[in-house]
Amino acid sequence: MDFKRIEWIFFLAFLGVNLFLFSIFQSAKNEERNVATSNQKIAIEQRLKADSISYDGDFATDKPTGYYLSGIPTNMQKAISDYRKANDESDAFSLGTTTEEYQVTRRISDGTSITDATKTAATLAKFLQQDGEVLFGEEYTYLENLSFQDQEYPEIVAAQSFEKIPFNDSSSRLDIQLENTDDLLKITRYTQTHISQIEKLRDQTALYSERDAIETLYVNNRIPPKSKIAWRQLAYTLSLQFRGTNVYIPVWFVAIDTGSSLQVEKVNAITNRVFTNTPVQKVEKN
């Protein structure tokens, strides 16, 4: 028996199998590359439409700018004490007021009402500018996306902002409860938190666009088919608590109406990564 010939037959057969497998592997890689390239070329608007995902308006493609910010939670008890001393009003913020270290809750009886939903921002601004009604009132602006005037328990929300980008975080919030009386929405109570000494931690940086954030959520399967993108907004939110100081980052907030619930997803506007379930890091005092 010609063993050398048999060895050559096995060698050629083995080589043929390997070449065949290699060609299949290369073909699969090329197909995968082509699919990836194809997917990249398909506009996010087309992909949303294919999944019956609706939205209003167009997705902004401009690159806004923002910062890493630091701020200190305001001691509201001290803030009230300082206000009383500065204005020589020992009874200021006494009636109907409950104060914790970083939060104040107050009942309102001045009769301010919202008579026209389209003028909510103006009515709220006028209320916030009244002396003795809300501490640091001039620093807060109306957040329409977080406000609900047509529900059983209507509420409007305001927050501080930095260079026209608002905060969307519980550490800088004015939650105002309303009471529906004779077709008027009367301000009856508010709960407030506040940030002091807001400062830039780094130079201004270009952020990812609104459209980038939508695409990131889509490719990460955070926007269910047949849902609706209810609203989207760029805002600062808490990322780190470092020995009594808060660190905030700019984030794209995207609200998605699934039909049964309204879920709010978050995308880090600096890194373009999903931020929704990222916990706030804490570094305690030594």
Side-chain angles (χ1 to χ4, degrees):
M1 183 178 289
D2 190 349
F3 289 101
K4 195 168 187 63
R5 182 180 179 186
I6 293 174
E7 288 177 0
W8 272 104
I9 291 173
F10 275 106
F11 172 77
L12 292 173
F14 180 77
L15 180 62
V17 169
N18 276 276
L19 289 173
F20 176 73
L21 292 176
F22 180 75
S23 67
I24 292 177
F25 174 76
Q26 284 296 106
S27 176
K29 290 289 288 183
N30 289 334
E31 288 179 7
E32 181 180 348
R33 190 178 299 112
N34 290 336
V35 169
T37 303
S38 176
N39 284 340
Q40 288 174 3
K41 290 182 179 179
I42 298 175
I44 183 61
E45 291 83 358
Q46 292 178 257
R47 299 162 79 178
L48 294 176
K49 183 178 180 180
D51 282 344
S52 300
I53 298 170
S54 60
Y55 55 92
D56 296 324
D58 297 323
F59 300 128
T61 58
D62 60 298
K63 304 285 186 180
T65 55
Y67 304 89
Y68 285 95
L69 298 177
S70 67
I72 298 175
T74 302
N75 185 314
M76 300 305 282
Q77 294 173 331
K78 183 178 184 303
I80 289 177
S81 177
D82 291 344
Y83 181 91
R84 289 170 178 169
K85 292 177 182 178
N87 293 275
D88 195 23
E89 296 182 29
S90 60
D91 294 331
F93 295 97
S94 295
L95 187 63
T97 302
T98 302
T99 309
E100 299 176 11
E101 187 174 8
Y102 300 117
Q103 177 178 291
V104 59
T105 300
R106 189 182 185 202
R107 294 188 177 278
I108 299 297
S109 58
D110 77 333
T112 298
S113 298
I114 298 173
T115 58
D116 184 346
T118 63
K119 298 180 180 178
T120 298
T123 302
L124 178 61
K126 185 177 180 180
F127 170 72
L128 294 176
Q129 290 168 9
Q130 295 179 27
D131 291 336
E133 288 292 2
V134 181
L135 288 168
F136 317 108
E138 70 282 354
E139 297 181 22
Y140 292 80
T141 54
Y142 175 52
L143 296 183
E144 181 179 4
N145 291 329
L146 302 182
S147 302
F148 303 93
Q149 298 182 47
D150 57 353
Q151 296 189 359
E152 183 178 0
Y153 300 102
E155 179 179 271
I156 55 178
V157 177
Q160 294 169 264
S161 61
F162 187 85
E163 294 188 359
K164 297 183 179 181
I165 298 178
F167 285 85
N168 186 353
D169 189 82
S170 61
S171 61
S172 169
R173 184 69 61 87
L174 188 62
D175 294 309
I176 302 174
Q177 282 77 50
L178 307 174
E179 183 179 280
N180 198 331
T181 305
D182 298 327
D183 294 328
L184 297 177
L185 291 176
K186 181 180 178 181
I187 295 177
T188 59
R189 176 179 174 176
Y190 68 75
T191 301
Q192 179 189 12
T193 54
H194 182 268
I195 309 166
S196 299
Q197 302 178 40
I198 300 173
E199 297 179 353
K200 306 170 188 176
L201 291 178
R202 296 185 184 177
D203 292 336
Q204 189 178 64
T205 183
L207 307 177
Y208 281 89
S209 70
E210 176 183 277
R211 192 173 186 275
D212 293 331
I214 296 297
E215 189 158 13
T216 293
L217 290 175
Y218 179 83
V219 299
N220 282 277
N221 300 315
R222 306 306 285 251
I223 309 178
K226 299 182 180 180
S227 62
K228 179 178 180 178
I229 299 174
W231 54 263
R232 53 267 188 194
Q233 183 176 37
L234 180 65
Y236 285 103
T237 198
L238 182 63
S239 173
L240 169 68
Q241 291 179 312
F242 183 80
R243 298 176 180 175
T245 298
N246 292 348
V247 175
Y248 299 88
I249 62 171
V251 164
W252 282 107
F253 287 78
V254 180
I256 301 167
D257 187 351
T258 64
S260 59
S261 64
L262 186 71
Q263 66 187 49
V264 179
E265 299 287 348
K266 295 185 285 186
V267 177
N268 187 322
I270 295 176
T271 64
N272 200 28
R273 294 185 178 181
V274 177
F275 191 73
T276 305
N277 298 317
T278 304
V280 175
Q281 301 179 57
K282 296 183 179 181
V283 178
E284 303 295 342
K285 296 180 180 179
N286 291 332

